[in-house]
Amino acid sequence: MEFRPILSAMLRNKTAPLLIAAQVALTLAIVCNALYIIRDRLATASRPSGADEANVSEIRFYPHRAISDVRGMQLRDIESIRAVPGVVAAAWTNQVPLGRSGWSVGPVVVSPDQQTSPVTNAGQYFTPESIIDTFGLTLVDGRDFQPGDYIESDPAQDRNQASVVIVTRTMAERLWPGEASVLGKPVYLGGPDNPPVEVIGVVDRLQTPWANLGEAAEYSLILPVRYLDPFTRYSVRTEPGRHEQVMAEVEKVLLANSSDRVLLGRRTLAEARDQRYAGERMMAGLLIAVTVFLLLITASGIVGMASLWVNQRRKQIGVRRAIGARRADILRYFLLENLMITTAGIAAGIALAVGLNNFLVSTMDLPRLPVFYLGVTTVAMWVLGLLAVLGPAWRAAAVPPAIATRTA
């Protein structure tokens, strides 16, 4: 089967092929970028936080009148929490991973002469206990805090600064690229004008409360600070499978400890993840629906147009059958015709997809579209086009030669 006769026939009636090619181009451009955004959003939403999310909960209280002894309240609360059966570890913390609100510090520099830093903002965790034990983090280098490392800071009276810090692996690699170990390195939190603190440990992962896009989500540090704030947030790790029972008891004993505060709420880190990434999942769902809808519309358009061509050329098909064309020849004709139209649409669609991706890169901070997605979408459009035209082409091949002897 030669391309020239098919192309000549299409050029005599350009409207229908052009419409199909345009539909294929638009579908490819949108579907290709939609699939990439879906993958990017779902991959972002599934990033591990570093914590034992299913078994770690936060419980928060707010004072409705002044707390006279904040330190004593924190110590009593922690002792009461740890006495609850099923509690593995507990700590006062100023924030939790994926919590969507918290403390940050920046820039983080490694030299008194350094004015700029690749880490412009880092999540800043405070605790007077072991966050590593409480969150279930993995310590990959160095040590956890020891009793002599902890300091107290009263926001109403002072701004005491810890002398040691634990950082994440990603943050260490960003600040000291190529270093085998960063233990003992000085780091300046908030710029070179502040006193340095010494890195004594590195954890594998600890996401920020905001779970930023890219590697910035792993820019976190831990300081051994008892922050004397009457607003109270405790992080509690429970035995697997006992979360609801244990946390209900923890809530009960904490409310019994003091009547000067109200419960703001409690949730697991898994629930915090669901809340943090609700928007990403909703966007992915909408894009999946749009992708399926576009593919169905494109397929139905090809089927409808091919069926129309078959009806318009029934006499032509019958004549060809009468002079010796086989069913396979007729079938091949329509399939090749569709392949040519689809290929033209794919060529235009690839250019349109790249242009759309450039726009999304500049507006949504997405990485460049990998060639793999263009290849997959191209194959999908070819297969979709061939499957969509197969039914009408099969009906065309079944037209009997006798049709050629009939009058219009």
Side-chain angles (χ1 to χ4, degrees):
M1 182 69 66
E2 295 185 5
F3 287 91
R4 183 175 296 178
I6 298 176
L7 181 61
S8 177
M10 285 193 296
L11 290 176
R12 286 195 296 271
N13 185 14
K14 299 184 288 290
T15 303
L18 286 175
L19 286 175
I20 292 296
Q23 190 174 18
V24 169
L26 184 61
T27 300
L28 186 145
I30 295 176
V31 168
C32 186
N33 282 279
L35 290 176
Y36 187 48
I37 294 173
I38 291 168
R39 186 213 64 84
D40 181 75
R41 289 294 178 256
L42 293 181
T44 297
S46 63
R47 296 176 302 177
S49 67
D52 182 7
E53 296 178 19
N55 300 307
V56 175
S57 298
E58 67 163 346
I59 184 167
R60 297 171 296 131
F61 294 90
Y62 192 83
H64 58 77
R65 52 176 172 255
I67 305 294
S68 59
D69 182 11
V70 175
R71 183 179 187 275
M73 177 190 68
Q74 291 181 2
L75 292 173
R76 286 192 304 272
D77 287 344
I78 287 295
E79 183 179 357
S80 299
I81 293 171
R82 290 173 177 167
V84 174
V87 170
V88 175
W92 181 97
T93 58
N94 65 319
Q95 59 194 31
V96 295
L98 306 168
R100 295 188 295 172
S101 66
W103 295 55
S104 64
V105 62
V108 179
V109 299
V110 298
S111 165
D113 301 322
Q114 185 181 3
Q115 297 299 320
T116 61
S117 171
V119 180
T120 58
N121 195 58
Q124 188 175 209
Y125 288 83
F126 296 157
T127 181
E129 288 88 21
S130 173
I131 273 186
I132 292 177
D133 290 340
T134 303
F135 286 165
L137 307 180
T138 301
L139 186 68
V140 295
D141 198 11
R143 63 173 177 86
D144 199 353
F145 298 127
Q146 296 175 352
D149 297 325
Y150 294 101
I151 66 166
E152 290 189 358
S153 178
D154 187 341
Q157 299 180 13
D158 58 62
R159 292 191 176 183
N160 294 336
Q161 175 68 53
S163 60
V164 293
V165 66
I166 295 174
V167 301
T168 60
R169 186 203 299 266
T170 300
M171 187 169 166
E173 291 173 349
R174 195 78 173 98
L175 291 173
W176 297 279
E179 292 285 344
S181 176
V182 300
L183 300 183
K185 299 282 188 182
V187 62
Y188 300 79
L189 307 181
D193 295 333
N194 295 317
V197 294
E198 178 188 353
V199 177
I200 62 164
V202 179
V203 294
D204 185 33
R205 290 180 179 275
L206 176 58
Q207 277 194 8
T208 68
W210 315 280
N212 321 57
L213 295 177
E215 70 173 14
E218 296 287 342
Y219 292 166
S220 297
L221 55 89
I222 309 169
L223 294 169
V225 177
R226 179 180 295 280
Y227 197 69
L228 301 180
D229 188 344
F231 170 79
T232 305
R233 174 187 277 109
Y234 296 112
S235 297
V236 183
R237 183 153 67 100
T238 64
E239 294 177 356
R242 301 188 60 189
H243 158 70
E244 282 299 328
Q245 172 192 354
V246 174
M247 289 308 298
E249 184 63 24
V250 167
E251 178 182 327
K252 180 179 177 181
V253 298
L254 291 180
L255 288 173
N257 274 358
S258 175
S259 59
D260 298 333
R261 57 191 176 182
V262 293
L263 176 68
L264 292 181
R266 60 179 170 90
R267 60 179 176 174
T268 65
L269 296 191
E271 292 168 338
R273 171 181 290 278
D274 290 341
Q275 294 167 8
R276 163 61 183 87
Y277 290 117
E280 278 77 2
R281 289 195 303 274
M282 183 176 69
M283 176 183 287
L286 288 174
L287 288 176
I288 290 172
V290 168
T291 299
V292 172
F293 180 74
L294 277 175
L295 292 174
L296 290 175
I297 290 296
T298 300
S300 63
I302 294 173
V303 170
M305 196 63 67
S307 298
L308 180 62
W309 292 338
V310 169
N311 291 331
Q312 289 177 343
R313 291 184 283 185
R314 288 179 67 84
K315 290 183 69 66
Q316 174 190 341
I317 295 167
V319 169
R320 292 194 60 199
R321 290 294 310 279
I323 62 177
R326 299 168 300 170
R327 287 190 177 188
D329 296 326
I330 303 300
L331 183 64
R332 188 167 65 250
Y333 178 94
F334 280 97
L335 292 178
L336 188 56
E337 182 182 63
N338 175 266
L339 185 63
M340 293 173 63
I341 295 171
T342 303
T343 300
I346 287 172
I350 289 175
L352 189 59
V354 172
L356 179 58
N357 179 249
N358 289 334
F359 172 75
L360 294 175
V361 166
S362 63
T363 58
M364 295 181 61
D365 197 27
L366 284 173
R368 294 289 177 184
L369 184 69
V371 176
F372 169 78
Y373 282 86
L374 290 171
V376 169
T377 313
T378 294
V379 172
M381 295 308 300
W382 268 327
V383 172
L384 179 68
L386 291 175
L387 291 177
V389 81
L390 191 58
W394 188 264
R395 290 195 298 273
V399 174
I403 197 73
T405 63
R406 297 180 185 175
T407 58

